[in-house]
Amino acid sequence: GAVVSQHPSRVICKSGTSVKIECRSLDFQATTMFWYRQFPKKSLMLMATSNEGSKATYEQGVEKDKFLINHASLTLSTLTVTSAHPEDSSFYICSAIPQGGNQPQHFGDGTRLSIL
Amino acid sequence: DQQVKQNSPSLSVQEGRISILNCDYTNSMFDYFLWYKKYPAEGPTFLISISSIKDKNEDGRFTVFLNKSAKHLSLHIVPSQPGDSAVYFCAASARSGGSNYKLTFGKGTLLTVNP
């Protein structure tokens, strides 16, 4: 149980393109989902907390207009990297907490984004 | 500033022996700690957790020890198996502080268990 699906797993696109990444909880409902970014040999860095039906909460230093987050249902959150540039190339990964709380975060398999 | 530190980037252990992965933290507000395991091209998988009210939690071959005074925790795997070879992330959160489920991760330790 507690499966999180992230799509796509890999994206290669030109500079200036906007890229949407989906995060779905397949067998549970998640009021809260999280978006992380990981650079090579670095730890997972929390970008934002996504709450169903309300605005996402962004961590300090993360541009909310650059990284648009939508959490329209209890099973889906999306991250859109707008007008992506090479410095946005990274590994993006989402996680979700089953409703009811007091459970660990369950992670998707991540999206490798490469901007040319 | 790294609030969660895993100072050993890698660890190599013989099959059947004990693997000990270490983690240190600096934020005294952290009260819940987790270990995740990650294989290449997959997301982290939850392994085991411990609340700050405990000093030990055991689940099968995996035991996590917490030393609050030293702000140190460790994950023991015994006996180690080749399938345990993966990157292990230590994570912490400050649940009672209102930040609820936000996790702060260490950089990870690559464990290699040799047959």
Side-chain angles (χ1 to χ4, degrees), chain B residues 37-49:
Chain B
K37 174 181 177 180
K38 185 182 182 301
Y39 293 116
E42 294 183 12
T45 303
F46 170 72
L47 204 54
I48 193 168
S49 64

Side-chain angles (χ1 to χ4, degrees), chain A residues 85-103:
Chain A
H85 291 283
E87 59 267 27
D88 299 321
S89 298
S90 191
F91 185 69
Y92 294 87
I93 192 165
C94 72
S95 71
I97 296 179
Q99 262 188 324
N102 212 31
Q103 295 190 50

Side-chain angles (χ1 to χ4, degrees), chain B residues 54-81:
Chain B
K54 294 186 175 182
D55 54 18
K56 177 183 174 182
N57 188 25
E58 190 173 350
D59 183 3
R61 296 185 298 113
F62 303 92
T63 303
V64 55
F65 295 92
L66 175 63
N67 183 333
K68 282 174 55 181
S69 60
K71 293 191 176 68
H72 176 84
L73 63 153
S74 60
L75 174 68
H76 292 211
I77 307 173
V78 56
S80 301
Q81 300 172 354

